[in-house]
């Protein structure tokens, strides 16, 4: 851009006073929140209504993201529609739709995720776009729920919808809609969810028109420019402060693909030179036969870093400014991050969680003075069966929360199901499905010990009350738990146990489908925790005691891992004995911990050894 053009842009932006920009920022946030509440309250599927697996967003007339989501699976939401349908051919009242991960190049990353996009017109001129995104309960495929560890190709995971036009100037394509609903085992729910998403898109359109009517099209777009620039400038500045000139490497491991392959390594190399950042993930292992492949659009990595850069700064928006933090993202076709069609993708959240962990690892290598430990991934399972009297099918998603990594100045959050999503309340589960929740508690000692403790996972245990049912299982961080940083220990692994404490007790695989549950069978899901930060012996004894009395840490762990001597009868600290124990038993540390301590180089080498089956499996 020439100097004269730059000056002209600055002059135009100066027309929009700061208070107007802040009002428009608030209006965008309010519009998104209202869209999401409408979607949640009118959807029929419990996945959307209770679990809250959805998000909505707004774009400007150039297709730039104005307000998005904290979920780092954003992908290129708008591009698949614009590539198939020219803007010149769009009309007021049009709604476009897709769920095809491959044709959208990661616009969605598995088939249950449906995207609806609508253009926004004012006085015949295109001024922006609105969209809604949500996970649908069932869209066909080999098993109810459309995602299964059994899948070996995407055709096992339900109907594929390329970018299509569902509404033309407000008129529904009935044939297309009926075809989609016919492919679901729960068509009434699917029809209701589509209508809820269309209503959400329409509400976003109205709210954007109100913004343009109040402030004018030109001033509103200038405010959009300012908001994007604010986020970009702040986030890029923080990225450059972390990644100084040099090369940084980190590798992360996935337990298994459920079909005999594992561990699988994600390898990332960040190179910073001449104010340019390049992330190279081409060394990542090949795609797998099982469904943990993650068709990752480069914008997903950008958003992961962006979330960290503006964390703690609510004045900045999740917008287009976060999608340019890394100048180049290199991926390899045929890898687990760029699988070739028709590789299965249904359990891609397993890999997404490790991608997030790898990005955090790069930040730790580059700036170890502000460490953040790794988080464990939530568990997503599906309980399938039929009601005994009506013989109609039921499908329940069993979403169970895990522990998150500690930070440089605080403990990791306990019992988190991904970010803002939720699991099903006990009351809802028991009223709507043939089961009884027998236990819902913190998984004690699952959080990695440290000066700042890793978050604990939960235990959720239920008894089956139907004659027979089957369940799919998915849990990560079993063989390779969430790492600790700067002396903190790794989180503890989780496990599935069938009929705990009974003669027929058995430990179940971490990724499997078709496990039969009969009347009276009990499934215990014990979730892993997040990694700790800092040496555990530096944690205040009073805080360790509070963790013990609250049920997060056992008496044994308090002594062995935190070095705190607690009198069991009085629940008081023996401070003299604690100081003596810590002075004698304190151990040396390195930057990362997973079963053992590693410096950045040996950590990278350990991942290579693991994929050659030369590293020891986890015993935590």
């Amino acid at each position: 851009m020439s100097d004269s053009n730059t000056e002209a842009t600055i002059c135009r932006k100066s027309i929009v006073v700061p208070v107007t920009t802040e009002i428009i920022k608030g209006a965008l946030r309010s519009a998104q929140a209202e869209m999401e509440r409408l979607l949640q309250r009118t959807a029929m599927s419990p996945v959307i209504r209770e679990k809250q697996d959805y998000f909505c967003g707004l774009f400007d007339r150039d297709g730039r993201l104005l307000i998005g989501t904290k979920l780092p699976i954003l992908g290129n939401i708008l591009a698949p529609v614009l590539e198939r349908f020219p803007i010149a051919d769009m009309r007021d009242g049009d709604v476009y739709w897709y769920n095809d991960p491959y044709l959208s190049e990661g616009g969605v990353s598995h088939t249950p995720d449906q995207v609806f996009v609508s253009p926004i017109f004012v006085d015949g001129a295109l001024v922006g776009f609105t969209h809604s995104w949500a996970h649908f309960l069932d869209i066909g495929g080999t098993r109810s729920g459309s995602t299964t560890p059994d899948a070996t190709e995407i055709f096992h995971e339900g109907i594929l919808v390329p970018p299509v036009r569902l509404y033309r100037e407000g008129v529904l394509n009935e044939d297309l809609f009926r075809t989609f609903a016919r492919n679901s085992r729960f068509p009434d729910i699917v029809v209701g969810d589509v209508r809820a998403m269309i209503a959400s898109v329409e509400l976003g359109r109205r709210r954007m028109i109100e913004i343009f009517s109040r402030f004018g099209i030109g001033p509103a777009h200038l405010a959009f420019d300012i908001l994007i620039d604010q986020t970009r400038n702040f986030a890029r500045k923080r990225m450059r402060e972390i990644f100084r000139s040099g090369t940084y490497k980190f590798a992360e491991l996935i337990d298994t693909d459920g079909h005999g392959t594992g561990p699988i390594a994600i390898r990332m190399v960040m190179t910073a030179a001449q104010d340019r950042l390049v992330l190279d993930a081409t060394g990542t292992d090949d795609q797998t036969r099982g469904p943990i492949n993650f068709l990752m659009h480069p914008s997903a990595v950008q958003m992961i870093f962006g979330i960290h850069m503006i964390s703690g700064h609510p004045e900045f928006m999740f917008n287009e400014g976060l999608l340019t933090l890394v100048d180049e993202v290199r991926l390899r076709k045929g890898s687990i991050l760029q699988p070739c069609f028709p590789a299965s993708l249904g359990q891609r959240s397993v890999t997404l969680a490790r991608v997030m962990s790898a990005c955090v690892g790069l930040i730790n290598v580059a700036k170890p003075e502000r460490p953040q430990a790794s988080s464990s991934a939530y568990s997503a399972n599906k309980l399938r069966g039929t009601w005994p009297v009506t013989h109609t099918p039921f499908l329940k998603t069993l979403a169970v929360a895990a522990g998150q990594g500690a930070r440089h100045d605080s403990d990791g959050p306990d019992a988190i199901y991904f970010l803002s999503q939720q699991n099903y309340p006990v009351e809802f589960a028991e009223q709507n499905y043939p089961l009884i929740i027998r236990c819902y508690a913190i998984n004690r000692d699952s959080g990695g010990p440290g000066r700042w403790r890793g978050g604990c996972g939960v235990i959720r245990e239920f008894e089956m009350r139907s004659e027979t049912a089957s369940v799919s299982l998915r849990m990560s961080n079993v063989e390779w738990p969430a790492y600790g940083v700067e002396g903190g220990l790794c989180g503890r692994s989780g496990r599935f146990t069938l009929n705990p404490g009974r003669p027929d007790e058995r430990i179940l695989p971490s990724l499997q489908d078709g496990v039969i549950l009969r009347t009276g069978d009990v499934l215990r899901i014990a979730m892993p925790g997040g990694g700790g930060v800092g040496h555990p012996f530096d944690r205040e004894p009073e805080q360790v005691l509070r963790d013990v009395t609250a049920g997060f840490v056992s008496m044994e762990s308090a002594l062995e891992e935190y070095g705190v001597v607690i009198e069991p009868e009085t629940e008081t600290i023996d401070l003299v004995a604690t100081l003596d124990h810590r002075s004698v038993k304190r151990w040396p540390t390195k930057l990362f911990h997973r079963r053992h301590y590693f410096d950045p180089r040996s950590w990278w080498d350990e991942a290579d050894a693991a994929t050659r089956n030369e590293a020891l499996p986890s015993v935590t």
Side-chain angles (χ1 to χ4, degrees):
M1 182 180 292
S2 67
D3 291 341
S4 60
N5 287 339
T6 302
E7 291 174 2
T9 300
I10 294 173
C11 289
R12 289 199 306 272
K13 290 182 179 180
S14 66
I15 298 173
V16 183
V17 297
V19 67
T20 300
T21 302
E22 290 301 310
I23 292 172
I24 290 176
K25 178 197 296 184
L28 291 172
R29 285 176 166 164
S30 178
Q32 182 195 45
E34 194 177 0
M35 291 168 66
E36 292 185 341
R37 294 295 81 76
L38 174 64
L39 175 56
Q40 178 189 346
R41 292 172 180 173
T42 58
M44 295 184 65
S45 168
V47 176
I48 301 174
R49 194 177 65 251
E50 299 289 339
K51 187 166 162 281
Q52 299 181 22
D53 196 350
Y54 63 81
F55 66 85
C56 302
L58 300 166
F59 298 84
D60 72 0
R61 60 191 171 194
D62 297 318
R64 297 182 305 170
L65 180 67
L66 296 178
I67 184 164
T69 170
K70 300 182 182 68
L71 291 172
I73 53 174
L74 181 68
N76 56 338
I77 293 289
L78 196 55
V81 172
L82 298 182
E83 290 170 4
R84 174 65 180 82
F85 298 94
I87 289 178
D89 189 46
M90 292 183 174
R91 301 288 185 270
D92 198 9
D94 287 357
V95 177
Y96 302 89
W97 168 36
Y98 67 87
N99 82 330
D100 190 319
Y102 287 98
L103 290 185
S104 65
E105 298 180 355
V108 294
S109 50
H110 69 176
T111 54
D113 296 341
Q114 311 295 313
V115 172
F116 294 84
V117 174
S118 182
I120 303 168
F121 291 87
V122 173
D123 297 330
L126 180 74
V127 293
F129 299 87
T130 173
H131 94 274
S132 60
W133 173 105
H135 182 120
F136 275 33
L137 180 67
D138 178 81
I139 59 163
T142 58
R143 289 187 185 268
S144 178
S146 309
T147 59
T148 168
D150 287 346
T152 57
E153 60 182 19
I154 199 166
F155 297 111
H156 296 158
E157 298 169 345
I159 185 173
L160 292 168
V161 181
V164 295
R165 185 160 47 210
L166 183 61
Y167 281 83
R168 181 56 158 174
E169 296 184 291
V171 178
L172 173 65
N173 185 329
E174 293 278 1
D175 293 337
L176 179 60
F177 191 30
R178 287 190 296 107
T179 300
F180 178 70
R182 180 62 176 163
N183 278 269
S184 174
R185 297 170 177 88
F186 305 92
D188 291 342
I189 290 178
V190 162
V191 169
D193 289 348
V194 170
R195 288 172 175 165
M197 294 186 74
I198 298 300
S200 174
V201 165
E202 171 61 17
L203 179 61
R205 187 186 71 86
R206 292 180 184 179
R207 294 295 178 258
M208 283 286 280
I209 290 174
E210 289 170 2
I211 292 174
F212 291 118
S213 298
R214 179 178 179 184
F215 299 100
I217 295 176
H221 278 285
L222 291 177
F224 299 160
D225 293 341
I226 293 171
L227 294 172
I228 291 172
D229 288 345
Q230 286 176 351
T231 297
R232 176 187 294 113
N233 295 339
F234 179 81
R236 285 180 69 91
K237 180 175 182 292
R238 292 200 69 184
M239 280 287 285
R240 269 55 182 182
E241 290 172 350
I242 292 172
F243 294 103
R244 303 286 185 176
S245 181
T247 299
Y248 310 92
K249 300 168 63 177
F250 194 82
E252 187 53 296
L253 294 169
I254 303 164
D255 293 346
T256 178
D257 75 333
H259 290 256
T261 301
I264 304 104
I266 296 170
R267 298 180 180 88
M268 291 187 173
V269 180
M270 181 77 84
T271 302
Q274 299 177 343
D275 198 33
R276 178 175 167 80
L277 293 178
V278 177
L279 180 67
D280 191 330
T282 57
T284 294
D285 284 351
D286 290 345
Q287 68 185 68
T288 64
R289 185 169 185 266
I292 64 168
N293 302 293
F294 176 31
L295 186 60
M296 185 180 74
H297 190 268
S299 61
V301 175
Q302 306 275 17
M303 188 61 75
I304 291 171
F305 283 113
I307 290 170
H308 285 276
M309 295 309 108
I310 66 173
S311 176
H313 294 272
E315 66 271 27
F316 298 107
M317 301 181 70
F318 289 87
N319 61 27
E320 189 78 16
L322 297 181
L323 303 183
T324 58
L325 301 188
V326 180
D327 297 283
E328 182 181 0
V329 178
R330 298 173 182 170
L331 303 169
R332 177 175 63 85
K333 197 73 173 175
S335 73
I336 198 171
L337 301 182
Q338 282 289 287
C340 298
F341 181 81
S344 53
L345 310 172
Q347 308 295 325
R348 57 56 170 130
S349 290
V350 170
T351 302
L352 167 61
R354 294 307 94 205
V355 168
M356 295 169 65
S357 180
C359 292
V360 172
L362 285 172
I363 295 174
N364 283 318
V365 173
K367 200 174 182 66
E369 61 269 26
R370 290 180 63 87
Q372 178 172 335
S374 176
S375 298
S376 284
Y378 66 92
S379 175
N381 317 285
K382 290 182 170 61
L383 181 67
R384 311 178 182 98
T386 56
W387 290 99
V389 177
T390 63
H391 301 289
T392 56
F394 68 81
L395 171 63
K396 182 186 187 304
T397 299
L398 302 168
V400 189
Q404 306 302 290
R407 279 68 62 89
H408 72 280
D409 58 358
S410 63
D411 292 343
D414 303 293
I416 295 296
Y417 173 46
F418 207 39
L419 296 170
S420 59
Q421 295 180 19
Q422 300 181 15
N423 55 203
Y424 295 139
V426 171
E427 298 81 2
F428 175 85
E430 292 186 339
Q431 289 173 5
N432 291 276
Y433 301 97
L435 54 81
I436 296 174
I437 304 296
R438 299 191 0 159
C439 177
Y440 192 23
I442 287 292
N443 188 6
R444 189 170 60 178
D445 289 336
S446 59
R451 163 64 183 86
W452 300 107
R453 176 179 57 80
C456 287
V458 304
I459 294 174
R460 192 146 182 166
E461 184 175 294
F462 69 91
E463 179 180 342
M464 201 66 235
R465 303 308 300 163
S466 68
E467 292 182 5
T468 184
S470 69
V471 64
S472 69
L473 305 176
R474 188 188 85 195
M475 185 183 296
S476 303
N477 302 105
V478 175
E479 296 297 325
W480 304 96
Y483 59 77
V485 186
E486 283 290 348
L489 304 184
C490 64
R492 293 346 188 211
S493 299
R495 65 174 52 181
F496 295 107
T497 307
L498 182 62
N499 296 326
R502 293 178 8 182
D504 57 346
E505 173 183 323
R506 61 189 175 103
I507 305 301
L508 300 174
S510 60
L511 191 61
Q512 184 183 15
D513 209 333
V515 177
I516 300 300
L517 299 179
R518 296 177 173 83
T519 305
D521 279 347
V522 173
L523 180 63
R524 186 175 192 264
I525 306 172
M527 291 300 296
V533 167
H535 202 296
F537 280 15
D538 292 332
R539 190 168 177 84
E540 298 89 340
E542 296 78 12
Q543 185 60 57
V544 176
L545 177 60
R546 284 194 290 269
D547 284 342
V548 171
T549 56
F552 292 94
V553 173
S554 66
M555 294 281 283
E556 295 77 13
S557 177
L559 177 61
E560 296 300 323
E561 295 174 310
Y562 290 94
V564 177
V565 181
I566 299 174
E567 295 291 342
E569 294 183 359
T570 61
E571 292 188 341
T572 58
I573 299 168
D574 186 332
L575 188 56
V576 173
T578 294
L579 294 176
D580 289 343
H581 183 88
R582 285 182 163 184
S583 65
V584 173
K585 298 291 187 178
R586 189 180 182 95
W587 60 83
T589 69
K590 294 181 181 179
L591 182 57
F592 297 108
H593 180 270
R594 181 183 275 151
R595 301 191 305 271
H596 310 286
Y597 284 109
F598 301 91
D599 58 29
R601 175 59 186 271
S602 60
W603 178 271
W604 179 274
D605 294 340
E606 174 76 357
D608 285 342
T611 56
R612 297 193 302 267
N613 295 316
E614 296 174 3
L616 295 175
S618 173
V619 295
T620 55

